[in-house]
Amino acid sequence: MNNYDSNQIVVDMKGITQKFGTLVANDNVDLTVHRGEVHALLGENGAGKTTLVNSLYGLYHPTSGEIFINGEKVIMDDPNVAIQHGIGMVHQHFMLVKPFTVVENIILGLETHKHGVLDMKKAKDQVIALSERYGLTIDPDACIQDITVGMQQRVEILKALYRGADILILDEPTAVLTPQEILDLIQIIDNLTKQGKTIIIITHKLKEITDVADFCTIIRRGKKIDTVRVADVSEADLASKMVGREVSFKVEKSKAAPSDIVLEIKDLHVKDNRDIPALRGLKLTVRKGEILGIAGVDGNGQNELEEVLIGVRKAESGSMTVNGTDLLGKSPREILDHKVSTIPQDRQKRGLVMDYSVAENIILENYKKEPFSKKGWLNFEAIRNYARKLVTEFDIRPNDEDYRAGSLSGGNQQKVIIAREISNNPDLLIAVQPTRGLDVGAIEYVHKALIAQRDKGKAVLLISFELDEVINVSDRIGVIYEGQIVGELKAEGADENEIGLMMAGGGKK
Amino acid sequence: MSEKKKLTDSPVWITMISISFGLIFGAIILLIIGYNPLTAFTVILKGIFSKPKYISWTVIYATPIILTGLSVAFAFKTGLFNIGAEGQYIVGAITAALAGYFISLPPILHIPLVLILSIGAGAFWGSISGYLKAKYEVNEVISTIMLNWVALYLNNFIVLHDKVKREGSEATNKVLDSAQLIFANTWKTSEAGISWRKVHPFFGDILRTPANGGFLIAVGAAIVVLIILNKTTLGYSLKAVGINREAAEFGGINVPSNIVSAMAISGGLAGLAGAVQVLGFTREASALAASEGYGFEGITVALIGANNPIGCVLAGLLYGAMKYGGSKIQPAIGAPYEIISIIMGMIVLFISMPKLIKTLKLKKKEDK
Amino acid sequence: MILQSIAFILGTTLMYATPLIYTSLGGTISENSGVVNIGLEGIMFMGAFIGAAVGFYTHSGWIGFLAAGVVGGLFGLLHAVACITFTADQVVSGIAINFLGPGFALLLCRLTFDGAAMTVPLPLDEKISRPLNGLFEQNSFFDMIFNRYSTVYLAFILVFLMWFLLYKTRLGLRIRAVGEHPEAAATLGINVYKIRYFSVIMSGVLSGFGGAAMSIAIVSQFRVTLISGQGFIALAAMIFGRWKPQGAMWACLLFGLANGIVIFMPRTGLDISSQLLSMLPYVLTLILLVVFVGKAIAPSADGEIYEKH
């Protein structure tokens, strides 16, 4: 962007340490940002990026360390203090009141009023003026629940600007955007920095950093690793600094040997919770011995596809057969009985009963079967023995089948689910966002497990928002856009740009 | 579970502290309004333990609320908040009063039949809320509150019906002897009974009260609940749905039918409470001007008993003792009986705020 | 004659809707801020006693009414401390209040009225005033409908004020924001705790008024069975009114009408059970909840514990 002034330091965080109990989320981290700069914070999930900016925004109080804004030392003990010092934040999960209008959301907390009575006309005029000034077009009277995610993000940015923010923190702003919306966002960021605003952007996507950022601070396991001028480094440099070792983007695997069709979906139409079509004539097939990866931006029907496949959402029309049996509209139990297993996208909400032990979670799908129970009575010895075997086989740590599932690390929780699903010996394994929030070691483990299933001659369907993951793990790629598969291609030698274009609807025939 | 918890974090400890705080609070109130709390508590304790018949009365007072407590605790364990034990109790009671009077069978058949019908009625009443939650996502807290009042007016409608009402009363006819649960009810007033009671002062004294089989039924129900929750596939799936509905659904468990089952079992327990109270104590159902409070007391019992079935038996006995022993402070020293409601309310309030108790504990540590 | 009957029913409707309106407005403000308050019943109970007792000793219905509001507010504060500061389960805390309200009311009643569980009735001239008395010819159509105690008019004024507060003022916008998405409000520098404290205390004040409107206007004394369930009907009315003050008001009028018909029925000689009619509000509320299935009508964060990091 190159709109920055290297003589003017606006944010200077020194020696920030943040402890939550025994966990050290930030360990002596420094961050220096200049006026008009786009500064990226790069790190893996859980590295401590969000914790750092939350301290800057006054949501957390650092255990130790100092924060200077425009050279003045500030105790950030409340978002109000941050707002007063010109800091605005756009959270990863938008902080919008859904039944409120755009204007109401923007003015909330800083309302235009006369003696406590709202002056909505004045508010609307101010919001419109602001949106025109920064080129952020919005409909001021629309309710948040009725507008797109991209629009909601604009409302979030306007909220910060309305409060006179000069420093904007964007937490993973592109995670939910389409490629086109990402381009719009980049344009908006450029506009803002030209008018002297400073942007701190949190991301773990390397390409975005090279596209928009002037500087990049890399954080790993709570520690600052380095701050670099983006123009001076390559993506590979950034990646190795992020994960702490040379990263091979390639996943080792042999060539696929696909045979009979296992899953066949034809002309599938499904509505979402708001009764809007989410899948519109989706069509795909997965064969024995292959991994089909579904690439796409979040919100293009992946969630509904997962739910239909599992049997918890009704379809409007279409067919879905597994080994020739139509399973559309069948219950989750029946689908499971047809040798379909799923690693769901949200392991804590959908995968595990957190207050149950590892052993109890392992028998979740089979507790009614022998030897785990007989005529309604549980057989605890059989359950424990079986669970202990899987705990050892899948290297779940701690090595204790009585451990509470909710107390395991994310990676080990995922292992419990994988152990349970794979030990069902399914013909079709569906994995949705299987590596979300996992560290590098765990990601590798999951990828290897999926490939091992393929090599055993199973059909594997991988649905992921991480394009790299889809390209590296799959044999074949289907691109989902607005509830349809808009393109199919071989994973080997696939062109990321071509897929990116399709993900944005560009490849639609 | 191998996560070692400190004793001070356990619910038992929090319960104990809450009970103590509640009693201390009650003592302070008594002091403020001019009564000696030590005298008052002595009266209560003597009123509970000093005679065999007092102990028997305590148990009689405790019986229905142990069962409504179990009802609420069972629902809690399956992730549901059953505020409707009150209404389920009422339908159980009226069913028992009707079946106990209009059906005539030998006791060996009559009692079990009446109990089963009452359990069924309570289960039906509970399963309405379960069905509304499973099918229409109606919050069970709200639906059970509404159904409590529907049950109350339904009860009055039935009780006051010409064919049901006992002449000159606002209650049903007394249940037949073949359906009642009171120990030796006719024998104890016979000549042989009276002379036996003279020779056996302890049991004789107990027989002066309507001592009945209800408590044994309540303890039996607690054991059944314990077994269902911990040893059976039904308990496994009910708890799984309670802890994480979505994960259970993804794991192939039929969530709606589990929610309905959970509310039905919970309602059945409350219905049983109503039956036991009618067959063992009142022998009739009356028109109600206001709710009798067994359901709400059951919530208290479940909270004090930390949702553990055995805990509910103990908590029910505690509450029964407070109710019975507490009723004696008014005649003895003139202190208002309502102090018991205040103490129980404060205990519930403290149990609802584990954070307060933990904060106090931290403060204590810092002071050291 | 028919006109007379209609006037009688409408008049009783207004009378019986009034205590419900106060209390349901209390429920409305509390739940709009995200705090469930099923303790309304207990607070109403307390309000009924305080209103009647203070009214009796001060010889002024109005002082009794205000005192009921103040004491109701104290119970609201107790609920707020438990739910907001100490993150108690809101339903459990409400249940505790339903023990404490009647407990304290009866305890104090026995202490101040010679061990009786009811207060001494207020003389007619010390009750709340009837400002429109004499405006219409006695027992004429309009007199039977509109010649009511001041508490009736005040209730309707409060409905308007509550609507204005929630939808037209800065504070109202914040109350609703806190009830929908407390984290969002907090990131904008709004003090979630303060807003919730205010709303829950107000719900206590209004429920206290509701109880007093029963004990010193509709009747002239407090007794044990006076409130029995009205707090829960008010809760139902708030839900029926979809968490909006004007909606709650209409629901209270509907429930009041049911009551009016129950009282009128014996005059008609028709054999419709008053017990079945009394069930109506509760059954209607259940049906409404089913009809609006899946539509999020309660504030999103209603009943959820909010904790600052």
Side-chain angles (χ1 to χ4, degrees):
Chain A
M1 295 278 159
N2 277 313
N3 298 320
Y4 65 93
D5 175 358
S6 54
N7 294 319
Q8 242 182 305
I9 295 175
V10 289
V11 175
D12 203 4
M13 300 177 82
K14 287 183 179 164
I16 301 294
T17 297
Q18 176 79 59
K19 291 181 186 166
F20 299 111
T22 54
L23 175 83
V24 184
N26 284 153
D27 185 0
N28 200 22
V29 177
D30 298 329
L31 179 68
T32 308
V33 186
H34 306 92
R35 187 169 189 273
E37 168 180 316
V38 180
H39 194 113
L41 281 178
L42 174 68
E44 290 191 85
N45 285 310
K49 299 164 295 192
T50 303
T51 308
L52 185 67
V53 294
N54 278 343
S55 328
L56 178 58
Y57 192 62
L59 287 169
Y60 295 159
H61 317 309
T63 319
S64 62
E66 293 177 320
I67 298 172
F68 297 86
I69 305 297
N70 295 316
E72 178 200 343
K73 185 177 171 185
V74 182
I75 309 289
M76 290 288 178
D77 47 7
D78 194 283
N80 274 325
V81 179
I83 293 166
Q84 278 160 20
H85 286 84
I87 301 172
M89 181 154 174
V90 176
H91 297 263
Q92 183 179 3
H93 303 288
F94 295 155
M95 293 289 183
L96 296 171
V97 182
K98 286 195 171 155
F100 281 19
T101 66
V102 167
V103 174
E104 284 173 334
N105 266 287
I106 291 171
I107 64 165
L108 185 62
L110 200 70
E111 301 87 349
T112 46
H113 67 102
K114 277 185 202 131
H115 312 296
V117 179
L118 292 171
D119 184 347
M120 290 309 290
K121 194 179 170 308
K122 190 172 163 194
K124 192 172 160 183
D125 292 345
Q126 286 180 358
V127 167
I128 291 173
L130 200 65
S131 78
E132 281 167 0
R133 180 168 161 205
Y134 293 102
L136 287 152
T137 322
I138 38 99
D139 172 4
D141 296 321
C143 277
I144 295 300
Q145 56 207 7
D146 301 327
I147 62 179
T148 64
V149 175
M151 282 296 161
Q152 292 179 6
Q153 191 172 58
R154 289 185 184 186
V155 177
E156 282 284 17
I157 295 172
L158 278 169
K159 246 164 83 176
L161 295 172
Y162 180 80
R163 281 161 179 73
D166 290 317
I167 304 155
L168 267 176
I169 304 164
L170 308 179
D171 189 356
E172 303 267 2
T174 60
V176 289
L177 299 184
T178 64
Q180 181 54 45
E181 285 174 327
I182 293 174
L183 291 179
D184 290 345
L185 179 67
I186 291 173
Q187 187 58 47
I188 289 167
I189 291 176
D190 190 36
N191 272 341
L192 290 169
T193 50
K194 272 189 186 136
Q195 301 196 41
K197 305 288 183 192
T198 305
I199 311 277
I200 297 172
I201 179 169
I202 300 178
T203 183
H204 59 260
K205 293 185 186 163
L206 303 170
K207 190 164 171 298
E208 277 162 22
I209 293 175
T210 51
D211 282 350
V212 300
D214 302 304
F215 286 89
C216 177
T217 293
I218 300 106
I219 297 179
R220 189 167 75 222
R221 295 195 179 174
K223 289 194 172 116
K224 175 185 154 177
I225 300 303
D226 201 355
T227 297
V228 294
R229 248 176 70 104
V230 173
D232 299 343
V233 292
S234 69
E235 277 187 33
D237 294 339
L238 288 174
S240 68
K241 281 179 196 287
M242 174 166 76
V243 297
R245 58 182 168 89
E246 290 297 315
V247 190
S248 79
F249 288 116
K250 285 279 167 254
V251 180
E252 291 293 321
K253 65 175 189 219
S254 58
K255 220 173 148 47
S259 58
D260 305 344
I261 290 178
V262 176
L263 172 69
E264 182 161 33
I265 295 177
K266 279 184 194 161
D267 201 30
L268 187 63
H269 288 266
V270 176
K271 283 181 177 172
D272 68 9
N273 288 339
R274 294 171 304 167
D275 238 16
I276 296 167
L279 298 181
R280 315 159 194 243
L282 182 119
K283 183 175 173 290
L284 62 83
T285 53
V286 191
R287 289 168 184 276
K288 276 186 183 171
E290 73 164 353
I291 301 177
L292 174 69
I294 302 292
V297 180
D298 191 5
N300 276 290
Q302 293 96 327
N303 190 38
E304 288 75 13
L305 179 60
E306 175 191 9
E307 289 171 358
V308 169
L309 283 166
I310 282 179
V312 297
R313 183 179 286 279
K314 278 206 178 90
E316 300 296 310
S317 63
S319 77
M320 176 180 107
T321 58
V322 172
N323 292 326
T325 318
D326 194 353
L327 292 182
L328 202 60
K330 293 280 190 289
S331 72
R333 180 73 258 162
E334 288 169 294
I335 292 175
L336 272 166
D337 289 340
H338 281 87
K339 308 204 88 166
V340 180
S341 280
T342 306
I343 301 166
Q345 66 164 316
D346 191 330
R347 63 183 155 269
Q348 304 196 338
K349 268 171 96 178
R350 297 179 158 182
L352 293 172
V353 179
M354 301 296 257
D355 278 340
Y356 267 6
S357 68
V358 169
E360 285 169 313
N361 270 292
I362 278 179
I363 58 155
L364 184 65
E365 289 158 358
N366 296 312
Y367 72 96
K368 275 192 178 169
K369 293 181 184 153
E370 288 193 51
F372 308 128
S373 69
K374 205 171 177 180
K375 291 180 181 155
W377 296 93
L378 292 167
N379 178 345
F380 291 99
E381 209 192 323
I383 294 169
R384 267 157 190 263
N385 288 340
Y386 180 72
R388 183 165 303 159
K389 198 183 107 206
L390 292 192
V391 165
T392 314
E393 196 180 315
F394 287 82
D395 194 24
I396 294 161
R397 291 178 204 181
N399 241 297
D400 178 0
E401 70 278 5
D402 287 336
Y403 206 76
R404 183 177 167 272
S407 308
L408 296 170
S409 71
N412 281 295
Q413 289 177 346
Q414 195 70 321
K415 281 184 187 173
V416 173
I417 295 172
I418 291 174
R420 178 176 76 208
E421 301 303 330
I422 288 180
S423 63
N424 279 344
N425 194 24
D427 288 345
L428 172 65
L429 179 67
I430 301 159
V432 188
Q433 286 280 77
T435 60
R436 187 162 73 169
L438 299 187
D439 61 36
V440 176
I443 291 174
E444 236 174 325
Y445 180 95
V446 173
H447 288 169
K448 279 185 180 155
L450 294 181
I451 292 165
Q453 283 298 298
R454 180 203 74 166
D455 291 344
K456 277 203 224 158
K458 312 289 188 187
V460 179
L461 177 65
L462 168 69
I463 302 172
S464 173
F465 309 143
E466 304 290 335
L467 187 51
D468 290 343
E469 177 169 86
V470 174
I471 293 178
N472 290 325
V473 178
S474 317
D475 302 309
R476 216 151 45 81
I477 298 170
V479 181
I480 191 167
Y481 175 72
E482 293 196 336
Q484 291 178 333
I485 300 293
V486 291
E488 260 194 54
L489 61 163
K490 276 198 174 152
E492 210 178 344
D495 177 5
E496 206 166 310
N497 292 327
E498 190 191 341
I499 299 174
L501 194 64
M502 286 195 270
M503 279 162 62
K508 206 173 172 183
K509 288 155 262 179
Chain B
M1 308 294 122
S2 28
E3 253 190 321
K4 294 268 170 357
K5 279 183 181 169
K6 274 180 280 175
L7 177 69
T8 47
D9 291 331
S10 72
V12 177
W13 186 251
I14 285 174
T15 305
M16 290 301 168
I17 293 181
S18 299
I19 293 174
S20 323
F21 281 5
L23 290 171
I24 293 169
F25 186 87
I28 293 170
I29 296 287
L30 282 169
L31 264 183
I32 292 173
I33 62 175
Y35 296 95
N36 184 339
L38 279 179
T39 322
F41 286 142
T42 312
V43 169
I44 293 176
L45 281 176
K46 274 192 181 162
I48 300 165
F49 293 113
S50 63
K51 283 186 186 168
K53 70 170 179 187
Y54 293 168
I55 297 174
S56 174
W57 273 114
T58 294
V59 171
I60 292 167
Y61 270 65
T63 301
I65 52 180
I66 290 174
L67 283 165
T68 50
L70 279 174
S71 160
V72 176
F74 188 87
F76 267 134
K77 280 278 184 187
T78 59
L80 298 163
F81 201 154
N82 181 13
I83 297 203
E86 189 76 43
Q88 295 141 16
Y89 169 93
I90 292 173
V91 295
I94 182 72
T95 304
L98 295 179
Y101 176 73
F102 286 107
I103 301 173
S104 91
L105 281 170
I108 189 95
L109 293 175
H110 201 178
I111 292 171
L113 178 72
V114 174
L115 294 180
I116 287 168
L117 287 174
S118 289
I119 291 172
F124 168 71
W125 211 248
S127 62
I128 297 174
S129 297
Y131 181 77
L132 291 179
K133 186 184 179 79
K135 180 95 200 264
Y136 299 107
E137 286 173 36
V138 175
N139 186 318
E140 77 279 9
V141 170
I142 293 165
S143 68
T144 51
I145 287 177
M146 299 302 133
L147 284 168
N148 282 345
W149 294 95
V150 176
L152 184 137
Y153 290 113
L154 184 66
N155 172 74
N156 291 358
F157 177 71
I158 295 172
V159 169
L160 298 176
H161 195 276
D162 293 341
K163 286 182 183 142
V164 177
K165 203 167 94 125
R166 189 172 75 235
E167 279 300 310
S169 77
E170 293 218 323
T172 61
N173 283 293
K174 298 268 178 188
V175 296
L176 303 178
D177 280 346
S178 59
Q180 57 92 15
L181 282 170
I182 302 168
F183 292 136
N185 196 32
T186 42
W187 175 79
K188 71 187 179 189
T189 49
S190 70
E191 243 172 72
I194 291 169
S195 56
W196 185 88
R197 278 158 60 192
K198 279 189 186 138
V199 192
H200 299 86
F202 182 84
F203 289 106
D205 201 33
I206 284 180
L207 284 178
R208 284 160 164 268
T209 68
N212 62 72
F215 181 68
L216 299 178
I217 292 176
V219 172
I223 293 168
V224 170
V225 166
L226 200 63
I227 290 172
I228 291 179
L229 284 175
N230 294 318
K231 303 282 176 198
T232 67
T233 53
L234 177 65
Y236 175 90
S237 64
L238 290 174
K239 281 190 292 178
V241 171
I243 301 166
N244 188 342
R245 185 175 168 167
E246 215 171 332
E249 190 180 13
F250 273 59
I253 293 174
N254 186 336
V255 170
S257 89
N258 269 281
I259 290 175
V260 176
S261 307
M263 278 307 292
I265 294 175
S266 174
L269 286 161
L272 179 62
V276 162
Q277 186 73 349
V278 167
L279 302 189
F281 185 43
T282 64
R283 300 193 64 185
E284 65 184 17
S286 318
L288 303 166
S291 68
E292 294 174 286
Y294 291 117
F296 285 99
E297 287 165 5
I299 296 171
T300 308
V301 167
L303 290 167
I304 296 176
N307 299 326
N308 177 299
I310 303 305
C312 286
V313 174
L314 298 175
L317 284 170
L318 171 75
Y319 203 156
M322 292 295 283
K323 274 177 84 174
Y324 179 66
S327 69
K328 300 194 172 165
I329 55 170
Q330 202 152 330
I333 60 169
Y337 168 67
E338 283 73 27
I339 191 74
I340 302 301
S341 301
I342 293 174
I343 291 173
M344 295 320 280
M346 287 312 289
I347 293 175
V348 172
L349 196 64
F350 283 120
I351 289 179
S352 79
M353 301 188 284
K355 195 177 164 189
L356 169 70
I357 290 167
K358 281 176 190 154
T359 314
L360 290 173
K361 216 175 66 198
L362 283 180
K363 284 253 172 67
K364 228 165 117 194
K365 263 186 205 158
E366 279 164 17
D367 290 347
K368 282 175 194 167
Chain C
M1 193 58 218
I2 290 177
L3 225 52
Q4 285 277 12
S5 303
I6 292 174
F8 176 83
I9 292 176
L10 291 181
T12 14
T13 299
L14 284 179
M15 186 163 88
Y16 279 99
T18 299
L20 298 179
I21 289 176
Y22 285 107
T23 309
S24 67
L25 286 178
T28 305
I29 188 169
S30 174
E31 301 220 359
N32 267 282
S33 80
V35 179
V36 168
N37 189 352
I38 69 162
L40 298 176
E41 170 86 7
I43 304 177
M44 228 182 147
F45 208 104
M46 191 68 192
F49 165 71
I50 294 290
V54 173
F56 176 77
Y57 283 112
T58 61
H59 303 288
S60 160
W62 281 114
I63 295 178
F65 189 74
L66 288 178
V70 171
V71 173
L74 289 176
F75 273 80
L77 176 66
L78 182 67
H79 189 50
V81 170
C83 300
I84 303 167
T85 304
F86 293 109
T87 64
D89 184 306
Q90 297 171 4
V91 175
V92 176
S93 165
I95 285 167
I97 285 181
N98 284 338
F99 278 101
L100 293 174
F104 272 109
L106 286 167
L107 181 109
L108 293 172
C109 187
R110 289 191 200 282
L111 290 176
T112 47
F113 289 89
D114 285 335
M118 58 174 73
T119 62
V120 176
L122 293 179
L124 212 55
D125 59 324
E126 287 176 10
K127 285 173 72 173
I128 299 279
S129 59
R130 286 176 179 250
L132 300 189
N133 201 12
L135 186 65
F136 306 104
E137 195 187 322
Q138 208 173 359
N139 286 329
S140 67
F141 181 73
F142 289 108
D143 186 60
M144 284 180 77
I145 300 178
F146 293 112
N147 181 7
R148 297 279 143 215
Y149 295 104
S150 307
T151 43
V152 175
Y153 314 112
L154 183 62
F156 288 93
I157 294 170
L158 281 175
V159 172
F160 173 77
L161 289 179
M162 182 64 75
W163 170 82
F164 191 82
L165 171 74
L166 285 179
Y167 300 102
K168 295 293 162 191
T169 69
R170 180 175 58 162
L171 179 60
L173 189 76
R174 291 181 177 191
I175 290 174
R176 288 184 295 128
V178 161
E180 283 290 340
H181 197 336
E183 290 80 12
T187 56
L188 297 173
I190 291 172
N191 188 327
V192 176
Y193 295 109
K194 265 193 198 162
I195 299 273
R196 287 194 168 175
Y197 259 91
F198 169 79
S199 305
V200 177
I201 291 171
M202 280 309 293
S203 86
V205 171
L206 287 162
S207 306
F209 284 161
M214 193 77 207
S215 67
I216 55 181
I218 293 182
V219 298
S220 48
Q221 66 175 155
F222 160 80
R223 44 176 196 265
V224 182
T225 53
L226 187 66
I227 298 303
S228 65
Q230 300 221 40
F232 289 114
I233 299 195
L235 191 76
M238 177 210 68
I239 295 163
F240 205 92
R242 307 180 79 182
W243 285 266
K244 291 188 171 69
Q246 67 275 29
M249 176 195 76
W250 289 115
C252 290
L253 284 170
L254 181 69
F255 296 171
L257 179 66
N259 224 327
I261 295 173
V262 169
I263 292 169
F264 181 72
M265 204 49 82
R267 297 185 175 196
T268 61
L270 286 175
D271 190 24
I272 296 179
S273 160
S274 66
Q275 306 296 343
L276 294 184
L277 273 172
S278 304
M279 259 183 224
L280 218 59
Y282 305 105
V283 175
L284 284 175
T285 303
L286 279 177
I287 292 172
L288 181 101
L289 286 168
V290 171
V291 171
F292 287 107
V293 52
K295 301 216 172 76
I297 46 177
S300 316
D302 201 10
E304 275 172 29
I305 290 168
Y306 170 78
E307 238 178 319
K308 210 170 157 184
H309 293 290

